[in-house]
Structure formats: structure tokens, C-alpha cells
Amino acid sequence: MLAVSVEGMSAASPAQLADEPASKQLTDGHRREWEEYWASDSEEHDQNGPAEALRQLLEDHRWLLPRGRCLVAGCGRGYDALYLAKRGHTCVAVDFCDTAIAKAQK
């Protein structure tokens, strides 16, 4: 598993977590589309920070999510996982695109 510079967070591709690829239920076409998206440096889905809904939830109702362990599936650049880790949660961030994981490392 690869460590990211925020304490309590790590990021890994499914291939790093298990012998069987997590993309088994996805077609090669889906995987290829997302790999192309991440390789293109497109900002179509990039909010340059954690999801607004997550920030709002923790600001307004932080008691709903006590500090603990979190899994951020489809982490992309890792903004949500970093946000949670900075607030004391232990996070594992996964994505089936190796290119997305590489960007989360930065």
C-alpha cells in the first residue's frame, strides 16, 4: 500500500489490495475510459477539494460521523480522503485506475 503525506491516510489500487482485480465486474472499456480521463488531466470532475456535500455534512452534522475508519472508494485525486484524514479519521482510498492513484500520491 502506498502512503500519502497526510497522517492516517493511504491510497492503493485494487491490484495492490487483493490478488483478484476489483475491476472484474467492470468492462475493459469502462476501465480504459477512466484511465484516459485521468491521463488527459481533464478537470471535468475535479472540484479541487473535497466534495461540497462531505464538507457540509461534517460542518453541520459532524456528530453523524465520529472519528474512525473510512473507506473512500473511487478516490480520484484523494481530496475526500485527505479532508477526512486531516480531521482525525483513518482513511483508505482506493480507485480502480492506476493513473488516479498516481495523482492522489502528489
Side-chain angles (χ1 to χ4, degrees), residues 7-45:
E7 185 177 324
M9 181 195 155
S10 60
S13 69
Q16 293 169 309
L17 295 175
D19 294 332
E20 289 291 318
S23 61
K24 192 173 185 178
Q25 297 175 357
L26 298 171
T27 67
D28 286 339
H30 288 110
R31 184 183 198 79
R32 192 170 31 257
E33 286 174 24
W34 280 107
E35 285 292 352
E36 289 171 6
Y37 166 79
W38 286 111
S40 74
D41 287 328
S42 172
E43 295 188 4
E44 180 182 349
H45 300 286

Side-chain angles (χ1 to χ4, degrees), residues 56-76:
Q56 198 66 45
L57 174 72
L58 290 182
E59 288 173 15
D60 295 347
H61 307 287
R62 71 181 60 124
W63 55 270
L64 287 173
L65 187 62
R67 288 186 180 153
R69 295 171 43 166
C70 301
L71 170 66
V72 180
C75 68

